[in-house]
Amino acid sequence: MVRLVCFEWRKHFLKRSIIIAMLLFSVLNIAKVYSIHEESSLLANPGWKDLYWKEWADFGGAITNKRIEKLMNIYLPLEQLTADHTASTKYRTPDTYLSNVYEDWNFFRLNYVDPMKYAYDYKAYAQGVVSAAKENIAFYESVDNSYERNKNAVIAKLFEGRSITSFAYTEMYQYYVQYDFSGLLVLLICLYGLMSVFLHEKVTEMDILLLTSKAGGKATIWAKLIASALFVSSVSFWFWVVDFVSFSIIFDSWDAASSPLFMLVDFIHAALNVSLWQYAILSALIKTAGILVFALAFLFMSILFRNALIPFIISLFISFISIYFEEVTMGSGRIWIKVINPFVLLFNRELFRKIEFVSLVGFPLPSYIAALLLATAWGALLLGGILIVVRKNTLWKGGGNRVHLEV
């Protein structure tokens, strides 16, 4: 079986066209990350970058009253000077850090004051959520509503003890967790690579010859599926690694990896208590699971036709429809519609940005678990469909050299 898998891998995926596409798309991916940095990063300005890391020695690390006081001694005078918009805009006066007092005010506000305030206040905010959830638990117990009671119990446990004790540079992660472009590139490469897996034998009419071989039956089918899964996983992880390394290098920071996920403002209600590096790994695994579901859909489409163009177009259409519905349901309260779409695994920040539930026989199930279960069901359904359709062509039942065809 190992040799057969390796043979299928070389035959379908070790192609010059796929390797070239991987390299070109990787360069395109890195260029996209660079454009995000240049267009959006606060530290894309060299002056801001130099000043940020100069001030980091005083304000980075553990959040202490001494550091907060020192920061306020710089910021409050700037806030007062810019309050009525009458301060001088003269370039590079001796008492400014950057070009003028207004730029100084924006620099400290955006880079240090606002993020540090969010981090400092988060503990009290989380405790407020816990208190509200416990009040809800008591209320729903009084009205015998077990679903809402259990839901609030999960929320209370999730937010209990949350706090941010250290200040870190998180700008890289803020854009990294929002980045989806690489997922589209992976889908396109997988779609291109997978179209030939079952169609190759049909086009060359080798499918008839394979009927006379034991390896042309179940063994070949499973070898194709395993090789396809390895190809999809390899392409996926390659791009996820390129994403992370590109963001880290271009944003010039490997910091904040150990910070909690809820340190990002967009994840103030994060559905998991994990660090940023743990979330990066988890997100990569879940994205790959989503790609594998689409890969099975692409394979299923390909075995229904003898020409590659039609299943390619249909598969592309299915992908775009899934993307459209993901965009429509993102941030909405239509949770079941959102989690039934396997594309939500590729945009999985929507699953972890806040805690949401679906009702499963009266039990509150977190939306990310529901999405994974439904994706598994989609995968099993598509795999079953593939095995049912291809058995019409070859099915080895053992016993001598007989080959039974099922029509």
Side-chain angles (χ1 to χ4, degrees):
M1 175 61 79
V2 174
R3 289 183 179 180
L4 195 54
V5 170
C6 292
F7 172 75
E8 293 294 336
W9 172 279
R10 290 193 301 270
K11 181 170 67 172
H12 298 296
F13 308 123
L14 200 60
K15 297 179 179 178
R16 181 180 298 178
S17 58
I18 292 179
I19 295 173
I20 292 174
M22 289 276 290
L23 293 175
L24 289 177
F25 278 17
S26 297
V27 173
L28 180 61
N29 194 37
I30 295 170
K32 179 66 174 178
V33 175
Y34 180 78
S35 71
I36 291 174
H37 175 268
E38 293 302 300
E39 294 170 5
S40 307
S41 174
L42 293 172
L43 304 191
N45 182 322
W48 281 43
K49 182 177 180 180
D50 291 342
L51 182 58
Y52 185 90
W53 293 115
K54 180 181 178 181
E55 297 298 323
W56 180 259
D58 292 328
F59 305 121
I63 300 174
T64 63
N65 291 333
K66 183 178 179 180
R67 282 177 168 165
I68 293 173
E69 183 180 355
K70 186 173 184 178
L71 178 60
M72 289 298 100
N73 288 337
I74 297 173
Y75 177 72
L76 291 178
L78 293 173
E79 187 177 46
Q80 292 171 1
L81 287 171
T82 57
D84 57 4
H85 302 284
T86 60
S88 172
T89 58
K90 186 178 179 181
Y91 183 75
R92 288 289 185 182
T93 57
D95 56 344
T96 59
Y97 293 86
L98 297 164
S99 62
N100 56 56
V101 68
Y102 293 101
E103 188 177 4
D104 289 354
W105 172 68
N106 277 317
F107 171 84
F108 282 99
R109 177 175 62 88
L110 296 174
N111 287 291
Y112 283 107
V113 175
D114 287 353
M116 191 174 291
K117 184 179 186 303
Y118 168 79
Y120 183 81
D121 291 342
Y122 189 83
K123 182 178 181 179
Y125 178 81
Q127 191 55 48
V129 173
V130 173
S131 298
K134 288 181 177 178
E135 291 177 2
N136 289 339
I137 291 172
F139 171 76
Y140 287 117
E141 281 182 343
S142 68
V143 296
D144 198 26
N145 188 331
S146 61
Y147 176 80
E148 291 294 336
R149 186 266 174 206
N150 292 335
K151 187 170 75 172
N152 279 274
V154 173
I155 294 172
K157 184 177 180 180
L158 181 66
F159 279 81
E160 187 70 55
R162 279 189 177 186
S163 65
I164 302 173
T165 59
S166 184
F167 180 73
Y169 172 63
T170 59
E171 189 180 47
M172 183 276 277
Y173 283 97
Q174 290 171 12
Y175 294 107
Y176 171 74
V177 299
Q178 302 288 337
Y179 189 66
D180 302 316
F181 184 66
S182 58
L184 301 178
L185 299 180
V186 172
L187 269 181
L188 290 175
I189 291 177
C190 291
L191 176 57
Y192 171 71
L194 293 171
M195 280 297 104
S196 68
V197 173
F198 286 103
L199 279 172
H200 183 268
E201 281 75 16
K202 290 184 180 181
V203 172
T204 59
E205 297 187 349
M206 285 292 292
D207 55 335
I208 299 175
L209 182 61
L210 286 173
L211 295 177
T212 64
S213 168
K214 181 176 181 178
K218 286 183 178 179
T220 297
I221 294 170
W222 281 107
K224 289 177 180 293
L225 291 171
I226 294 171
S228 298
L230 292 173
F231 167 70
V232 170
S233 299
S234 300
V235 172
S236 299
F237 281 113
W238 167 256
F239 277 92
W240 311 152
V241 171
V242 169
D243 284 351
F244 188 82
V245 174
S246 299
F247 271 95
S248 298
I249 293 175
I250 292 173
F251 279 79
D252 193 22
S253 175
W254 300 84
D255 195 26
S258 60
S259 298
L261 177 60
F262 48 79
M263 189 166 184
L264 303 181
V265 177
D266 286 343
F267 286 79
I268 186 172
H269 301 118
L272 292 175
N273 289 325
V274 295
S275 64
L276 288 171
W277 74 264
Q278 290 172 330
Y279 175 75
I281 294 174
L282 178 64
S283 177
L285 292 172
I286 292 177
K287 284 182 179 180
T288 303
I291 295 289
L292 285 169
V293 174
F294 277 93
L296 287 171
F298 299 158
L299 290 173
F300 180 74
M301 287 295 111
S302 71
I303 62 176
L304 299 178
F305 302 91
R306 300 190 70 89
N307 181 289
L309 181 60
I310 296 175
F312 184 88
I313 294 174
I314 294 175
S315 298
L316 203 59
F317 178 75
I318 291 172
S319 300
F320 286 146
I321 289 295
S322 299
I323 295 171
Y324 171 76
F325 276 105
E326 170 59 23
E327 291 287 344
V328 169
T329 57
M330 186 179 294
S332 72
R334 294 170 289 182
I335 304 172
W336 267 117
I337 298 177
K338 179 166 59 178
V339 299
I340 203 171
N341 181 2
F343 203 84
V344 76
L345 299 186
L346 274 74
F347 285 8
N348 57 70
R349 66 176 178 276
E350 184 67 13
L351 295 174
F352 300 113
R353 190 170 57 85
K354 60 181 178 179
I355 184 70
E356 293 180 317
F357 301 90
V358 294
S359 178
L360 182 65
V361 293
F363 180 80
L365 188 69
S367 62
Y368 60 88
I369 295 179
L372 289 170
L373 291 176
L374 286 167
T376 302
W378 276 116
L381 184 65
L382 289 166
L383 179 60
I386 291 170
L387 296 176
I388 290 172
V389 173
V390 296
R391 73 175 184 157
K392 292 183 178 181
N393 296 324
T394 84
L395 182 60
W396 179 262
K397 292 191 175 181
N401 292 319
R402 295 187 62 192
V403 175
H404 298 262
L405 301 182
E406 293 196 1
V407 182

